[in-house]
Amino acid sequence: MKKMALLLPVAAFLVTGLAYADGGEELTAKHKCTSCHKLDKKSIGPSYQDIAKKYAGNAGAAAQATEHVKKGSRGVWGPAPMPPQSAPDEDIKAMVDYILAQKK
Ligand code: HEC
């Protein structure tokens, strides 16, 4: 019976952890990133897959992408600018993590 008491918090942690990991995609819809970004095709902005590919293995990528989402960006991918996006910091982190994980 003692084992059950130990397993419960572990199970709860796994459930919330997975829910968090799934959140990125819904958040990009909620914050309307999807009006300029698609998963696998260039739109007004680069596709999530192209972003993930460009920054694969780049340890500073998440920090730079977060900065660009918050403050806006121009000239990294082309002439079209991304205006600064207003979303809570933790939402931006979840979305950037999600986008950078979309390698083909
Ligand atoms: C009005 C269109 C538009 C919207 C809305 C938009 N983006 Fe972008 N996004 C762009 C464009 C254009 C670029 C390429 C900018 C450049 O070349 O510097 C870009 C680039 C990016 C990049 C790559 C940044 C880098 O460092 O290379 C990420 C990540 C990103 N967007 C995430 C998001 C997220 C998350 C949201 C929603 C909160 C969002 N975008 C909303 C147009 C948009």
Side-chain angles (χ1 to χ4, degrees):
M1 265 317 177
K2 253 196 178 151
K3 262 198 185 139
M4 280 297 282
L6 279 175
L7 279 175
L8 266 176
V10 172
F13 171 78
L14 279 178
V15 168
T16 44
L18 287 175
Y20 180 73
D22 278 337
E25 186 177 357
E26 288 97 63
L27 286 169
T28 59
K30 181 178 155 195
H31 293 297
K32 313 257 187 303
C33 318
T34 41
S35 58
C36 291
H37 293 283
K38 300 204 179 326
L39 174 65
D40 56 1
K41 271 190 208 74
K42 184 183 179 324
S43 170
I44 294 168
S47 75
Y48 299 152
Q49 287 180 348
D50 285 345
I51 296 172
K53 211 154 111 194
K54 179 180 171 104
Y55 295 117
N58 179 341
Q64 187 199 281
T66 301
E67 192 76 1
H68 284 165
V69 173
K70 274 196 210 175
K71 300 201 171 145
S73 175
R74 174 199 297 262
V76 179
W77 293 85
M82 172 162 63
Q85 303 297 309
S86 56
D89 281 2
E90 70 258 33
D91 286 12
I92 293 181
K93 182 185 184 311
M95 291 187 286
V96 166
D97 285 351
Y98 160 74
I99 291 168
L100 292 178
Q102 301 310 307
K103 269 165 275 178
K104 262 181 268 184

